[in-house]
């Protein structure tokens, strides 16, 4: 290689490196920045370890998920984490990344999620108390678009222009230097050859840049129309027949062919024995609440009889889980008409599902001085600690235990702990409700934050079971069974399950989800790990079961931005 050729070669390498740098900067600034998200929170026992886990997935994929593990009990030497996608399973997953200790019994890591879809984070815990593995369901979804800052764009444009000029000059110089000795004077022929080389280089570069721009626009459009998550639309309506209001939820598949965003609607799994958990909350006071379980009529339609809720505009949140472990909340607003019926008709009205429950209470923000109203301020001392209380429909009281302060902080992990005492103030034992110690729903006053909570965290039993089973599968790819047969088998299972006696049904549900077992030290308490994602005014509905009856407590709290 001659001296001139070597010089040209290294100039070209430098040019390619800078082009790659510009491309990577452009992509990262437009597609991999993060915004706040509540993510997934899990609290569970794994052998001798009790862990509190928080995974904040990126809002743009590819991107990094923030994994934080608090070791609440047990001696840990190291924790590893790796993402496992449903479609590729264990065989297609990378090796574990080691989490970094950042404090007393706290470990953190940034974990790359390279593709959208249903995934999980597998944690491998090692220490003197043994080896354990925990699977945390995570939805890897692109939910945001990023605009490049104007200053960065102009800077990259100037750098790109400089690189183009450099490359044209390099091509012209190499075309001339390849046939003319370095010490020979430059004549007219040499100048023409150099200009010719530069002209050809300019044309080639223009074609390359035009092709690159076309590819970039195509990739960007694909991200917007296919990879960027859009909720599955539904249409909710209420019909009245024979003095009974019926809620119908219809799934809208109009855009399936247009944008390629399909859902495997025939492969919906039961979660806690129900194909759909629907929550209705009346706006603006959040004073009427219902937790219902619609029945599937066909692939696109679900029906449920409405309880005696007052008329008005309601927000609807419907939770479903697919065979892939992908969990989704479908949302809509629905106008429920007021209905005047006789006491006899009301008494004979039966819910669609025996586990349906509802509550009508005071509007949000009312400072209560009487029973059966939500309490904004501490009004009771329980075991020497302040707590909020509410009288339940059976005469017992629900107490918010160990509330850190009247106002909570956004982004901070809390254990929301509630206890039930009977009319005499003694601990009131609780029964399993849908296979668990209790359920909770949290809603921000404007409806923009909603979560369905379990004692083990913010994920669903069905999602965990599906992903754990996929990891145990040795197949590199997953093949779905026949859609009609699968749907029919699930409908048969749900019907049979709901016909069982309550004790037998709960035993079957708890056996099917051992990883979600979260036994309390006292059987009148239930707790939920949660971090409020945004400041605002929140209402919390806590549902437990006692003497065969679902009881709902309601509490309000203010959440502020964290103190600096």
């Amino acid at each position: 290689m001659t001296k001139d050729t070597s010089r040209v070669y290294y100039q070209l390498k430098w040019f390619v490196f800078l082009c790659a740098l510009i491309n990577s900067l452009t992509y990262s600034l437009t597609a991999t920045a993060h915004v706040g998200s509540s993510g997934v929170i899990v609290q569970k026992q794994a052998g001798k370890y009790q862990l509190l886990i928080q995974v904040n997935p990126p809002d743009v994929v590819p991107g990094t998920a923030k994994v934080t593990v608090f070791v609440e009990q047990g001696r840990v030497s190291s924790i590893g984490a790796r993402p496992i996608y449903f479609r590729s399973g264990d065989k297609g997953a990378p090796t574990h990344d080691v989490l970094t200790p950042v404090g007393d019994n706290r470990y953190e890591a940034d974990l790359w999620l390279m593709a959208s879809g249903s995934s999980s984070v597998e944690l491998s815990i090692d220490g003197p108390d043994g080896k354990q593995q925990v699977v945390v369901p995570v939805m890897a979804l692109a939910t945001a678009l990023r605009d490049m800052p104007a200053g960065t764009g102009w800077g990259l444009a100037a750098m790109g222009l400089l690189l183009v000029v450099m490359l044209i000059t390099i091509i012209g110089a190499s075309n001339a230097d390849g046939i003319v000795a370095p010490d020979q004077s430059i004549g007219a022929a040499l100048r023409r050859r150099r200009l010719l080389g530069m002209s050809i280089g300019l044309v080639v570069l223009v074609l390359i840049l035009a092709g690159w721009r076309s590819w970039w626009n195509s990739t960007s459009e694909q991200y917007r129309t296919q990879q960027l998550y859009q909720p599955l639309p539904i249409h909710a309506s209420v019909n009245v027949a024979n003095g009974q209001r019926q809620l119908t939820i219809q799934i809208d598949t109009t855009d399936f062919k247009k944008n390629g965003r399909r859902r495997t609607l025939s492969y919906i799994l039961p979660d806690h024995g129900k194909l759909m958990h629907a929550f209705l909350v009346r706006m603006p006071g959040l004073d009427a609440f219902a937790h219902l379980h619609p029945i599937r009529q066909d692939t696109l339609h679900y029906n449920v009889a409405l309880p005696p809720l007052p008329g008005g505009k309601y927000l609807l949140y419907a939770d479903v889980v697919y065979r892939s472990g992908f969990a989704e909340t479908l949302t809509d607003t629905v106008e429920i008409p007021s209905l005047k019926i006789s006491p006899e008709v009301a008494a004979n009205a039966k819910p669609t599902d025996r586990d349906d429950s509802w509550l009508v209470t005071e509007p949000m923000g009312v400072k209560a001085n009487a029973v059966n109203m939500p309490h904004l301020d501490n009004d009771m001392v329980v075991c020497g600690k302040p707590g909020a209380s509410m009288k339940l429909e059976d005469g017992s009281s629900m107490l918010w235990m160990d509330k850190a302060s009247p106002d909570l902080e956004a982004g901070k992990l809390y254990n929301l702990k509630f206890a039930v005492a009977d009319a005499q103030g003694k601990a009131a034992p609780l029964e399993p409700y849908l296979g668990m110690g209790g359920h909770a729903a949290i809603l921000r006053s404007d409806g923009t934050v909603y979560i369905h909570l379990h004692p083990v965290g913010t994920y669903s039993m069905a999602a965990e079971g599906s992903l754990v089973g996929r990891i145990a599968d040795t197949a590199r790819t997953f093949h779905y069974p026949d859609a009609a047969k699968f749907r029919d088998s699930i409908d048969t299972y749900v019907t049979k399950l709901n016909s069982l006696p309550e004790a037998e049904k709960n035993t079957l549900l708890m056996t099917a989800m051992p990883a979600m077992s979260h036994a309390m030290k006292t059987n009148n308490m239930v707790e939920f790990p949660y971090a409020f994602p945004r400041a605002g005014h929140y209402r919390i509905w806590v549902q437990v079961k006692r003497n065969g009856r679902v009881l709902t407590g309601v509490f309000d709290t203010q959440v502020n931005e964290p103190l600096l």
Side-chain angles (χ1 to χ4, degrees), residues 237 239 246-251 265-266 268 275-276 293-305 351-353 484 487-488 490-492 494-495:
S237 59
N239 297 316
Q246 188 89 3
L247 173 66
T248 298
I249 300 173
Q250 179 181 353
I251 299 175
L265 297 176
S266 293
I268 290 180
L275 282 176
M276 179 181 287
H293 306 98
I295 302 299
R296 178 163 61 184
Q297 304 302 312
D298 55 47
T299 306
L300 303 181
H301 296 85
Y302 291 75
N303 290 341
V304 64
T352 300
D353 190 289
R487 183 179 61 248
D488 291 344
I490 292 297
D491 287 340
T492 301
V494 171
T495 301

Side-chain angles (χ1 to χ4, degrees), residues 405 407-414 531-535 558-563:
S405 64
D407 294 345
L408 305 180
E409 290 185 16
K412 185 176 181 179
L413 277 172
Y414 292 99
F532 294 89
R534 297 169 52 198
Q558 180 70 34
V559 177
N560 298 327
E561 294 293 347
L563 299 175

Side-chain angles (χ1 to χ4, degrees), residues 349-432:
K350 293 183 178 180
T352 300
D353 190 289
R354 62 184 178 182
D355 292 308
D356 289 355
S357 55
W358 59 93
L359 178 72
V360 179
T361 183
E362 293 296 317
M364 191 174 193
V366 172
K367 183 175 180 180
N369 296 309
V371 298
N372 202 32
M373 293 185 180
H375 290 226
L376 292 175
D377 300 324
N378 294 332
D379 67 334
M380 181 175 290
V381 175
V382 182
C383 301
K385 298 179 180 180
S389 70
M390 179 188 176
K391 188 75 72 175
L392 301 178
E393 291 181 333
D394 69 342
S396 61
S397 295
M398 182 176 288
L399 318 171
W400 186 345
M401 307 288 290
D402 300 337
K403 187 177 180 183
S405 64
D407 294 345
L408 305 180
E409 290 185 16
K412 185 176 181 179
L413 277 172
Y414 292 99
N415 269 329
L416 308 178
K417 187 182 298 183
F418 302 89
V420 178
D422 62 19
Q424 289 72 42
K426 297 180 180 180
L430 302 178
E431 302 166 0

Side-chain angles (χ1 to χ4, degrees), residues 486-529:
F486 182 87
R487 183 179 61 248
D488 291 344
S489 66
I490 292 297
D491 287 340
T492 301
Y493 167 78
V494 171
T495 301
K496 180 179 179 181
L497 184 67
N498 290 333
S499 67
L500 295 175
E502 189 67 15
E504 188 175 346
K505 181 186 72 173
N506 279 308
T507 299
L508 188 60
L509 285 174
M510 289 186 286
T511 303
M513 52 182 185
M516 295 194 81
S517 175
H518 196 274
M520 296 295 296
K521 294 180 181 179
T522 56
N523 63 356
N524 74 316
M525 297 183 65
V526 63
E527 65 181 17
F528 307 92

Side-chain angles (χ1 to χ4, degrees), residues 161 164-165 167-169 171-172 194-210:
L161 180 61
V164 169
V165 173
L167 186 55
I168 293 173
T169 304
I171 294 173
R194 177 169 291 181
L195 289 174
L196 178 61
M198 294 173 66
S199 300
I200 294 175
L202 177 61
V203 172
V204 171
L205 276 178
V206 169
L207 293 176
I208 291 174
L209 292 174

